[in-house]
């Protein structure tokens, strides 16, 4: 089966703790993205990557970090600097072959603060 | 910067009727517009893409129109079914022909049996 997997489905963070959300894809897509979704709000772009070992900040990168050591993997770390981390986090991937390429999304990770 | 507007109020319709959702945008001319479906607690799923030189696109019971003069896209679901109940998001490139989409807040559709 081809697709994107995210883990865990639910994640709990304590004050001052860094947590890492996993995202893996086997679609052979070059580009990967992380979005944050809050109730009643659209998807907001956190980080994106077009190629291994390179990534760019999106609209709300503060308090987050990423890495792209392998084409298939794009983990997101929510650092203690992110003061309001409770949200639904979505990972996506796409090709870069043309304009308007479809974004394929994972099932999401819901992050809650204890 | 560009702005995307989707009706924040839920659309309630009866089964069998046609649902029409609206996506308005401002400030620039996008090369394309996409529509996605999102079910509660799940990631969005791509439905249709329409390019700036296309007026209309169809896929089974779905129809999308793109009016670049009005800066508006309409998304229609004909013969709606309760299974069509979901939130529908429109997405436009972050700028011009950018490959990165910016998403609207989405409109919730509820189809009553």
């Amino acid at each position: 089966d081809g697709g994107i997997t995210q883990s865990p489905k639910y994640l709990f963070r304590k004050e001052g703790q860094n947590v890492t959300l996993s995202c893996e894809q086997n679609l052979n897509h070059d580009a990967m993205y992380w979005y944050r979704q809050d109730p009643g709000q659209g998807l907001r772009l956190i980080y994106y990557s077009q190629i291994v070992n390179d990534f760019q900040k999106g609209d709300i990168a503060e308090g987050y970090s990423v890495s792209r050591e392998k084409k298939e993997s794009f983990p997101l770390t929510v650092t203690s600097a992110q003061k309001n981390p409770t949200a639904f986090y979505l990972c996506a991937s796409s090709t870069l072959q043309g304009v308007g390429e479809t974004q394929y999304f994972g099932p999401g990770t819901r992050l809650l603060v204890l | 910067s560009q702005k995307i507007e989707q009706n924040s109020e839920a659309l309630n319709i009866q089964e069998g009727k046609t649902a029409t959702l609206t996506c308005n945008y401002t400030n620039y001319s996008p090369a394309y517009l996409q529509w996605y479906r999102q079910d509660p607690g799940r990631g969005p799923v791509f439905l249709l893409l329409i390019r700036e030189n296309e007026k209309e696109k169809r896929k089974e019971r779905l129809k999308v129109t793109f009016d670049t003069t009005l800066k508006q896209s309409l998304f229609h679901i004909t013969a709606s079914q309760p299974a069509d109940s979901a939130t529908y998001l429109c997405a436009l490139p972050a700028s011009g022909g950018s490959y990165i989409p910016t998403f609207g807040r989405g409109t919730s559709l509820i189809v009553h049996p």
Side-chain angles (χ1 to χ4, degrees):
Chain A
D1 282 340
I4 300 181
T5 57
Q6 290 185 243
S7 62
K9 187 174 177 66
Y10 295 95
L11 186 57
F12 299 91
R13 193 190 90 164
K14 295 180 182 177
E15 288 286 337
Q17 186 181 40
N18 292 353
V19 292
T20 297
L21 285 61
S22 169
C23 177
E24 303 278 332
Q25 55 102 356
N26 62 3
L27 299 168
N28 198 33
H29 286 169
D30 291 307
M32 296 188 74
Y33 316 78
W34 274 105
Y35 293 92
R36 170 180 172 142
Q37 188 174 36
D38 294 280
Q41 299 223 21
L43 305 179
R44 291 187 289 169
L45 184 64
I46 305 173
Y47 270 98
Y48 64 100
S49 168
Q50 301 178 61
I51 195 169
V52 172
N53 292 324
D54 188 44
F55 46 83
Q56 285 76 41
K57 294 181 179 180
D59 300 319
I60 55 166
E62 186 174 351
Y64 301 97
S65 66
V66 294
S67 63
R68 187 91 186 272
E69 297 178 2
K70 299 186 300 181
K71 186 176 184 178
E72 303 79 19
S73 179
F74 192 40
L76 173 75
T77 296
V78 184
T79 74
S80 57
Q82 172 49 246
K83 299 305 179 188
N84 185 22
T86 298
F88 188 48
Y89 290 87
L90 288 159
C91 179
S93 71
S94 73
T95 66
L96 291 172
Q97 294 176 355
V99 174
E101 291 300 326
T102 301
Q103 295 228 323
Y104 293 82
F105 285 86
T109 292
R110 192 166 297 280
L111 178 60
L112 300 165
V113 177
L114 295 176
Chain B
S1 62
Q2 52 95 329
K3 186 177 177 182
I4 303 171
E5 295 176 349
Q6 292 188 262
N7 195 340
S8 59
E9 291 185 14
L11 176 63
N12 286 271
I13 65 168
Q14 285 299 123
E15 183 175 8
K17 300 293 186 184
T18 295
T20 299
L21 306 175
T22 304
C23 177
N24 294 303
Y25 60 92
T26 60
N27 296 340
Y28 78 116
S29 299
Y32 65 87
L33 187 147
Q34 297 172 328
W35 284 90
Y36 289 77
R37 169 184 172 141
Q38 185 176 23
D39 290 287
R42 306 188 73 167
V45 175
F46 172 78
L47 295 174
L48 280 168
L49 175 144
I50 187 164
R51 300 190 187 279
E52 60 181 336
N53 60 347
E54 298 174 317
K55 296 288 187 188
E56 182 179 298
K57 203 80 169 282
R58 291 177 185 262
K59 180 183 176 182
E60 298 172 350
R61 294 185 295 112
L62 308 180
K63 184 178 86 171
V64 172
T65 63
F66 195 9
D67 189 326
T68 54
T69 301
L70 291 179
K71 295 189 184 294
Q72 180 182 81
S73 174
L74 299 179
F75 177 80
H76 306 273
I77 305 176
T78 59
S80 59
Q81 305 165 0
D84 295 326
S85 299
T87 296
Y88 292 85
L89 310 172
C90 72
L92 290 80
S95 62
S98 170
Y99 73 92
I100 302 174
T102 296
F103 289 82
R105 296 185 177 192
T107 298
S108 175
L109 172 65
I110 302 169
V111 181
H112 299 275

